[in-house]
């Protein structure tokens, strides 16, 4: 059988337009434009490309931004058809952006990404994109015009280093009924952050707030919350516990990822006698930057771990602590129980140094998880106080609710810029 080359048949050019658009969309921007020299038929095929991505690589190929801006103008002027995805990243703020947005407002943009190198107002034409489903903004001021009716089709909203009035977020969420993913990172400081989004499935918040609660999120499955700084710790402690307020209504929660300062926030006002019902279905829990120096953090962590009856996977990132906090040790020993974490199967511990407080926490886990099967422990060699073999031998002597725990230690050697690792595994 003769192939397309020997038969002289141009099979690629005869492909359907939508297939060609996909092929051109997979090429780097400059390579897509270069296809115009292949033949007369290919001269203008790239001008219908539905995805325009002016990223780091694009701007680095020009000595000056003025050259890049001129190319962007030319591309937009000759482009034909819809532009479903438009990304502009690593670009210095300039008035040209608003001109480009004016052109895009008639292009049925569904995904829009804007990362600028210096803060600027979000383009006012952006708020006319009624087909928008994905919006990602970084390092800008977000101020919708009066009478803004929201993005009715918005599914994914990602804001990073974005400044706005807190009331704007509440209004935007309420006017985005289809919203499923919401990421807020290093944005405006909040006094009160309430999440009321009926279709939300994923939520991430990294920032500063005095209060956060999930007022109405019946579909929310994954929550990631990390407080920056210690602003919340200076506030007057609430009369009621923050636990039930935080977990007010998220009945579908499966994955929870929080940090040590989040634990400190949750315990303010005390621990409730009955755990929030939102904890009933959690299968995966991650706690990062957890300091064992604070009795409050330890108490909050123990309460959270033992209040998730379906918890299967636990990940802890320790914050190194050298001093022994006797009250925290007593708390851990008092909580050790074979009925604590009945479903827990896998535990991963990062930044484990072998210090006594960390060992006590591991004793608590081992004594509280009757079906535990795997413990994976990781750290850099330079931070370890004892060898992996010594720590495994010690842990094997601890009281264990499960007799079938497989221990794996991984040591990473970062000296001299190299990346080497050594694994030590003990099978029961």
């Amino acid at each position: 059988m003769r192939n397309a080359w020997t038969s002289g048949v141009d099979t690629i050019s005869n492909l359907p337009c939508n297939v060609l658009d996909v092929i051109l969309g997979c090429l780097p921007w400059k390579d897509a434009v270069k296809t115009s020299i292949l033949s007369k038929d290919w001269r203008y095929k790239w001008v219908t490309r539905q995805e325009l991505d002016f990223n780091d690589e694009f701007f680095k190929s020009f000595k000056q931004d003025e050259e890049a801006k001129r190319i962007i103008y030319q591309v937009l002027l000759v482009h034909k058809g819809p532009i479903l995805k438009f990304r502009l990243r690593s670009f210095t703020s300039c008035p040209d952006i608003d001109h480009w947005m004016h052109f895009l407002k008639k292009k049925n943009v569904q995904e829009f990404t804007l990362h600028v190198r210096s803060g600027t107002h979000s383009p006012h034409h952006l708020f006319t994109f009624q087909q928008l489903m994905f919006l990602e903004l970084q390092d800008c001021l977000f101020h919708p015009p009066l009478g803004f009716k929201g993005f009715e089709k918005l599914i994914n909203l990602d804001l990073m280093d974005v400044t706005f009035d807190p009331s704007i977020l509440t209004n935007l969420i309420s006017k985005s009924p289809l919203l499923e993913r919401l990421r807020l990172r290093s944005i405006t400081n909040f006094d009160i952050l309430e999440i009321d989004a009926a279709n939300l499935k994923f939520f991430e918040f990294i920032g500063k707030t005095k209060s956060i609660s999930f007022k109405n999120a019946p579909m929310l499955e994954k929550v990631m919350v990390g407080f920056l700084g210690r602003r919340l710790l200076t506030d007057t402690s609430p009369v009621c516990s923050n636990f039930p307020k935080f977990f007010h209504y998220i009945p579908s929660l499966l994955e929870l990822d929080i940090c040590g300062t989040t634990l400190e926030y949750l315990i303010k006002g005390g621990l409730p006698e009955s755990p929030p019902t939102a904890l009933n279905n959690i299968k995966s829990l991650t706690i990062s930057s957890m300091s064992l120096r604070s009795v409050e953090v330890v108490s909050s962590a123990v309460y959270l771990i033992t209040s998730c009856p379906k918890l299967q996977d636990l990940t802890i990132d320790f914050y190194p602590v050298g001093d022994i906090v006797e009250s925290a040790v007593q708390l851990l020993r008092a909580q050790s129980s074979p009925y604590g974490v009945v479903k827990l199967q896998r535990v991963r511990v990062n930044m484990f140094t072998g210090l006594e407080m960390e060992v006590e926490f591991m004793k608590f886990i081992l004594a509280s998880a009757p079906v535990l099967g795997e413990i994976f422990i990781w750290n850099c060699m330079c931070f370890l106080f004892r060898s992996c073999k010594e720590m495994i031998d010690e842990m094997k002597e601890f009281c264990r609710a499960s007799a079938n725990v497989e221990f794996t230690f991984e040591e990473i050697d970062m000296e001299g810029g190299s990346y080497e690792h050594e694994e030590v595994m003990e099978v029961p």
Side-chain angles (χ1 to χ4, degrees), residues 88-102:
L88 183 64
R89 292 179 282 192
S90 297
F91 186 65
T92 303
S93 171
C94 70
D96 301 87
I97 294 178
D98 232 10
H99 297 159
W100 301 334
M101 297 305 103
H102 177 71

Side-chain angles (χ1 to χ4, degrees), residues 349 351-353 377-381 383-384 410-412:
V349 181
M351 302 306 293
F352 185 88
T353 64
I377 298 177
W378 172 93
N379 204 344
C380 295
M381 290 182 181
F383 295 132
L384 292 174
E410 185 177 54
E411 298 178 344
I412 307 297

